[in-house]
Amino acid sequence: MNSNAPGWDLLIINARVAAMIDGADKIHSDYAIAIRGASIAWLGPTNDLVGSPEESADKVINAQDQLVTPALIDCHTHLVFGGHRAAEFEQRLNGVSYEQIAKAGGGIQSTVNATRACSDNELADLAEKRIACWLDEGVATIEIKSGYGLDLATERKMLRTARRLGERSPLTTVSTFLGAHTIPAEWKDNPDGYVEEVISMLKVLHAEGLVDHVDAYMESIAFSAEQVSRVFKVAKELGLPVKLHADQLSSGGGAQVAANFDALSADHVEYTDQQGAEAMARSGTVAVLLPAAYYTLRESTPPPIDLFRKHGVPIAVATDANPGTSPTLSLLTSMNMACTLFKLTPAEVLAGVTCHAAAALGLDDRGHLSIGARADIAMWKVNTPAELCYWLGARPLKHLICGGELAR
Ligand code: DI6
Ligand code: FE
């Protein structure tokens, strides 16, 4: 290598690059991206490279005909859990509703029982196997919620598992405390007492360094606006950003509660109204759409996409991977569903799993390709965002780079 050569570690050439910086539908053809360490060192037209690619970098990948995007980000999952709920799936096929199952002691509580019964290693093994599916689909950052413990020991076990996953795999994991997921059986007669317990768990787990964000499930079958606000007030005092499961099954003013606390995101938002959308626009709260949950529950009220567009609310798309309402291991499938069920454009969906998903996690170093950004990059065997959203089960990933390292 000559002494003037830039000395990059990796150089991708001849790619079709969606940088997600100059609009989601802008594709740069014949582009090159250079990586040094964990960051992007340079990007621009392949023709603008000074010197030959082989002289410039240790390794060169020719990405002819490949779409290259920021690695995908799944900003809403519950992928650490024990057991499964296929029996409830069958009950729902026979006409029993999700709410009825929850009220009868099934639903989230049944996964809580199964998760409490798992050892640390069992829980980690289950999650580690699942997480491989995200890597296979070009995901480099994933948010993981607790909320199937609902007691201190099991919430801690879940959050530690999420941290361990991040340490053992090339993925970045973001840990969200969801103690306010449902009222566990042992607190059934004292819901406000359980809210106090959530607050006390939050303080302990935060002190142990296990919490990045705080979430709650605001719904008629879960927590009220007042109860959520009590938890969020403490989260903010601790300096932790919040996000909210809002307006999924009914319109309860969840979007406004989220906006009042400057939430990073309000998620589901099927029943969010004009006031809610306006409040989210003012607070910069991202609308996270979860079409696989909508599909699984066979819902019929889609989120108010036009309101979000009109008011400039950023839209993200995520899996909501969980054993009850979204038994999926595939972000690409959720991307297809966001188009088919919610009529998002493929360009909006790509923004929804890159730059807007990063915003929903409060991360500004990824979700876009630019000099200095983290080198989390997905290379695809397809060449347009539309084709990425169009196939079902196609395994379109060619390569995944996480923090500059080739992970797939
Ligand atoms: N996310 C959740 O946390 C709940 N719904 C949703 O979309 C329920 C999860 C579950 O049933 O286990
Ligand atoms: Fe969820």
Side-chain angles (χ1 to χ4, degrees), residues 112-398:
V112 169
N113 300 342
T115 305
R116 287 178 180 174
C118 279
S119 71
D120 290 17
N121 284 338
E122 282 166 347
L123 203 58
D125 285 349
L126 287 168
E128 215 157 341
K129 288 198 185 90
R130 285 178 203 133
I131 224 161
C133 302
W134 273 264
L135 285 163
D136 289 343
E137 289 200 342
V139 175
T141 301
I142 189 165
E143 187 254 16
I144 302 176
K145 300 176 196 295
S146 70
Y148 290 124
L150 312 185
D151 61 28
L152 181 61
T154 319
E155 288 293 302
R156 179 188 282 130
K157 183 168 72 180
M158 292 187 72
L159 292 169
R160 280 196 184 149
T161 302
R163 284 273 191 262
R164 249 164 87 187
L165 285 171
E167 286 154 15
R168 287 188 187 175
S169 87
L171 273 151
T172 304
T173 60
V174 176
S175 305
T176 299
F177 174 65
L178 178 57
H181 197 188
T182 193
I183 294 148
E186 63 275 21
W187 287 92
K188 209 165 63 55
D189 298 327
N190 183 9
D192 285 311
Y194 181 64
V195 173
E196 291 313 306
E197 179 63 16
V198 168
I199 290 169
S200 116
M201 287 192 279
L202 169 58
K203 288 178 178 166
V204 173
L205 297 168
H206 168 64
E208 293 176 8
L210 291 171
V211 181
D212 299 321
H213 300 154
V214 176
D215 192 354
Y217 190 26
M218 188 176 141
E219 193 56 63
S220 54
I221 53 169
F223 294 89
S224 68
E226 189 276 323
Q227 291 169 327
V228 169
S229 299
R230 266 193 275 155
V231 176
F232 280 8
K233 191 167 158 287
V234 176
K236 298 301 268 192
E237 283 163 11
L238 296 173
L240 293 169
V242 301
K243 49 223 288 94
L244 185 65
H245 283 73
D247 306 331
Q248 178 190 9
L249 306 170
S250 56
S251 68
Q256 273 102 331
V257 171
N260 286 347
F261 286 90
D262 293 321
L264 289 173
S265 68
D267 301 39
H268 289 290
V269 293
E270 275 89 342
Y271 285 87
T272 295
D273 59 12
Q274 163 115 5
Q275 273 178 321
E278 285 173 6
M280 286 170 68
R282 279 195 299 274
S283 58
T285 298
V286 177
V288 177
L289 309 189
L290 305 169
Y294 177 92
Y295 161 85
T296 301
L297 296 179
R298 290 191 290 180
E299 292 291 324
S300 51
T301 303
I305 309 291
D306 284 336
L307 275 180
F308 295 141
R309 286 181 180 133
K310 178 173 156 207
H311 295 289
V313 176
I315 298 172
V317 174
T319 58
D320 196 18
N322 78 68
T325 59
S326 193
T328 177
L329 306 172
S330 170
L331 183 58
L332 288 169
T333 304
S334 290
M335 292 163 64
N336 173 275
M337 289 177 172
C339 296
T340 306
L341 300 174
F342 296 163
K343 300 196 171 65
L344 253 55
T345 67
E348 285 174 320
V349 169
L350 186 59
V353 293
T354 55
C355 49
H356 293 163
L361 296 180
L363 299 171
D364 56 14
D365 66 340
R366 65 196 72 194
H368 54 86
L369 302 176
S370 60
I371 293 174
R374 186 177 158 87
D376 281 358
I377 300 171
M379 303 174 61
W380 305 99
K381 292 179 240 173
V382 300
N383 61 61
T384 62
E387 202 183 346
L388 199 57
C389 295
Y390 152 82
W391 293 107
L392 281 165
R395 301 176 164 269
L397 186 74
K398 178 80 179 172

